[in-house]
Amino acid sequence: MRSDGYIIAGKRILLVDDDDDRRSLFADFLTVLQARCDMASTGVLGIEKMLNTTYDMIVLDVMLGPMLGWEVFKSVKQRKPDFQTPVLFLTNLGSDAEEAFRSLDAGKQCQLESKNISANDLVRVMEGMLI
């Protein structure tokens, strides 16, 4: 956090999650931090938004059903090779997700965290990715 407020303030963030309640709760939380939030409830809608809008960060659920978050990311990278927006993947899959995440070979552009992350840690991770 900066001395004059959160780094996240004013940033445009896309939330891609198929759980309506979690998506709304997360958007409300980020709005309190003065971030601008767009939302998508499916991977297909998320891809469309990522290809047509510039975001400062993407928060992407891994288990979107029927499309996985990894597939969303790969689809965007194939269609837009210069895509460098930070992507925070959220999951409850544990070590299985870590192995799949490593196979993305996305470098520092992406990070994987548990959906059970605390609000304070979530802000810390997101701000670290935005620096």
Side-chain angles (χ1 to χ4, degrees), residues 12-44:
R12 188 164 192 182
I13 299 171
L14 174 63
L15 307 173
V16 185
D17 195 319
D18 59 344
D19 183 307
D20 294 338
D21 292 335
R22 185 173 42 242
R23 194 176 57 249
S24 294
L25 180 67
F26 195 47
D28 290 346
F29 172 70
L30 292 175
T31 300
V32 167
L33 300 177
Q34 299 179 341
R36 298 178 297 147
C37 295
D38 288 346
M39 297 185 282
S41 58
T42 68
V44 172

Side-chain angles (χ1 to χ4, degrees), residues 3-129:
S3 61
D4 60 339
Y6 290 97
I7 294 168
I8 209 166
K11 301 295 185 189
R12 188 164 192 182
I13 299 171
L14 174 63
L15 307 173
V16 185
D17 195 319
D18 59 344
D19 183 307
D20 294 338
D21 292 335
R22 185 173 42 242
R23 194 176 57 249
S24 294
L25 180 67
F26 195 47
D28 290 346
F29 172 70
L30 292 175
T31 300
V32 167
L33 300 177
Q34 299 179 341
R36 298 178 297 147
C37 295
D38 288 346
M39 297 185 282
S41 58
T42 68
V44 172
L45 291 173
I47 290 168
E48 183 180 315
K49 287 180 179 280
M50 285 183 238
L51 293 175
N52 295 308
T53 306
T54 301
Y55 292 99
D56 296 298
M57 174 174 272
I58 311 295
V59 178
L60 186 55
D61 182 16
V62 170
M63 296 298 294
L64 283 168
M67 186 176 232
L68 296 174
W70 325 121
E71 295 168 326
V72 170
F73 178 76
K74 287 177 183 178
S75 178
V76 172
K77 287 291 274 188
Q78 286 174 344
R79 296 179 195 182
K80 194 175 179 182
D82 61 339
F83 179 76
Q84 291 298 317
T85 304
V87 179
L88 175 60
F89 289 97
L90 295 177
T91 188
N92 283 330
L93 293 178
S95 60
D96 290 339
E98 291 174 17
E99 188 174 320
F101 177 73
R102 282 192 297 275
S103 74
L104 285 178
D105 196 30
K108 294 183 179 187
Q109 178 183 4
C110 298
Q111 190 160 333
L112 177 68
E113 291 291 337
S114 168
K115 286 183 182 177
N116 297 326
I117 190 171
S118 72
N120 286 339
D121 286 342
L122 181 63
V123 170
R124 180 187 50 76
V125 167
M126 291 179 74
E127 291 195 332
M129 292 178 75

